[in-house]
Amino acid sequence: MALDAQAETWLKGLADSGLPPLNEMPVDQARATYEAVVADCGLKPEPVADIVDKTIPGPAGDIPVRIYTPDGHGLFPIVVYFHGGGWVLGSLEVVHGPCTVIANRAHAVVVSVDYRLAPEHPFPAAVEDCYAATQWVADNAALLNGDVERIAVAGDSAGGTLAAVVALMARDHGYPPLAYQLLIYPATDVRYDTGSYAANGEDYFLTTDLMKWFHRHYLPSEDRAEDWRASPLRAADLSGLAPAHVITAEFDVLRDEGEAYAARLQEAGVETTVHRYEGQIHAFTANLAGVIDNGRQSIEDGAHELRRALRLGWQPRVWLSQ
């Protein structure tokens, strides 16, 4: 399909702004620019019954989290959410709006995790924080008015990678029990030779150069790319994982590796669905849903899948957009 008209308008505005690419900025400037873009273009938050910021114990100190509780009475399912930003950028704020929508539509407690970022804290710091946070959620489900039997992990981009890795770690360690994983355009392999890299490596916001910049900051040595915690597509065995829903975008360098991961999950016997949003670019869901209607709809669709999978208000799968 052709590039979505709203995505095209946003890309043109970005080009006309005169801002250099994120990978040509110092890290602090890139972080501030990314936050400003999302504040301007991201989904505005909805009212939810309760929002609490707190810290929880982590492997290298306290981890900030933000807990969203919907209206109604528990026990609620719980969604542990990891933001994107290439393991270098991002915060609780960049996914604040999407987390309110997920809490309301999935009728779930959402725990958004502010894991450590590179280059100050390179791989595997983010992985360790995200797994520790998911363990904490399971250990404290009752305090969250949540159901330990209905915990899902979710994330976008780098956060989708982290969600996939946490699901693998939970299986390998036998804890915590996970009921679902929502992976929004995840990066699943540290390589740049797929068809989607060849087709979309320039001009669509997430470029090949930007992905290489992220990886240089995140991975302290090239051999770390072989580690399945950095490249979950390289994990030897994907069987026995929680059911998954994978969202990809047509004009995204990460499209092919996200869909390859979904295919491997299916081949391993994991109940998996995948939805490619035609005409869309990377970040359309979590970061640009305030200016791209299809982005807002994809959040609604993902929350619908969570609600359906976690067996609250079950209804047949119906895609509301393409």
Side-chain angles (χ1 to χ4, degrees):
M1 287 182 62
L3 183 64
D4 174 81
Q6 291 176 317
E8 185 174 22
T9 297
W10 183 80
L11 288 168
K12 184 177 186 304
L14 182 64
D16 291 346
S17 72
L19 279 172
L22 293 173
N23 51 284
E24 294 180 8
M25 299 179 185
V27 168
D28 287 348
Q29 183 184 355
R31 286 173 177 164
T33 300
Y34 181 64
E35 298 276 342
V37 167
V38 177
D40 186 47
C41 302
L43 193 65
K44 303 308 178 190
E46 297 182 347
V48 298
D50 192 36
I51 300 175
V52 174
D53 286 341
K54 67 173 296 169
T55 58
I56 62 175
D62 288 343
I63 304 169
V65 298
R66 182 169 293 169
I67 302 168
Y68 304 79
T69 303
D71 285 323
H73 303 285
L75 297 173
F76 297 106
I78 309 173
V79 178
V80 188
Y81 196 95
F82 311 121
H83 67 79
W87 312 277
V88 176
L89 317 176
S91 67
L92 299 177
E93 296 303 324
V94 300
V95 291
H96 182 55
C99 284
T100 64
V101 173
I102 292 170
N104 286 336
R105 302 299 182 279
H107 202 62
V109 170
V110 176
V111 180
S112 183
V113 180
D114 201 11
Y115 53 86
R116 286 173 290 164
L117 297 177
E120 297 91 339
H121 306 285
F123 174 87
V127 171
E128 293 170 348
D129 282 1
C130 291
Y131 181 60
T134 307
Q135 289 180 301
W136 180 89
V137 165
D139 291 343
N140 294 275
L143 296 177
L144 300 172
N145 200 15
D147 184 351
V148 72
E149 299 296 327
R150 293 185 292 162
I151 298 175
V153 289
D156 61 281
S157 194
T161 312
L162 292 166
V165 170
V166 167
L168 283 159
M169 294 175 74
R171 178 203 63 184
D172 291 349
H173 292 285
Y175 188 81
L178 295 181
Y180 204 65
Q181 46 182 327
L182 173 63
L183 312 180
I184 303 171
Y185 35 71
T188 65
D189 201 359
V190 183
R191 55 187 297 181
Y192 316 101
D193 59 357
T194 63
S196 56
Y197 264 101
N200 306 317
E202 299 179 0
D203 302 324
Y204 298 110
F205 178 56
L206 182 62
T207 63
T208 302
D209 286 344
L210 181 53
M211 279 303 300
K212 289 180 177 179
W213 185 81
F214 286 142
H215 285 141
R216 282 197 302 271
H217 285 303
Y218 181 51
L219 301 174
S221 60
E222 289 187 9
D223 65 331
R224 291 290 195 158
E226 303 291 332
D227 192 317
W228 61 265
R229 295 173 300 168
S231 297
L233 188 60
R234 304 191 193 192
D237 179 15
L238 299 185
S239 64
L241 293 172
H245 180 62
V246 181
I247 289 174
T248 64
E250 181 183 9
F251 291 92
D252 182 3
V253 294
L254 302 182
R255 181 196 69 209
D256 288 357
E257 62 197 77
E259 293 176 4
Y261 193 71
R264 277 207 58 204
L265 288 170
Q266 291 169 337
E267 291 165 3
V270 177
E271 181 185 344
T272 304
T273 54
V274 59
H275 187 183
R276 178 194 292 186
Y277 287 80
E278 304 293 348
Q280 285 306 336
I281 61 174
H282 190 83
F284 83 104
T285 293
N287 301 145
L288 303 176
V291 295
I292 297 178
D293 293 341
N294 212 209
R296 168 61 183 254
Q297 190 58 65
S298 68
I299 296 171
E300 301 271 358
D301 290 343
H304 170 84
E305 284 298 291
L306 285 165
R307 184 176 181 121
R308 174 185 171 277
L310 299 172
R311 293 179 174 84
L312 282 180
W314 187 93
Q315 52 188 299
R317 180 181 295 110
V318 176
W319 294 125
L320 304 177
S321 65
Q322 293 294 333

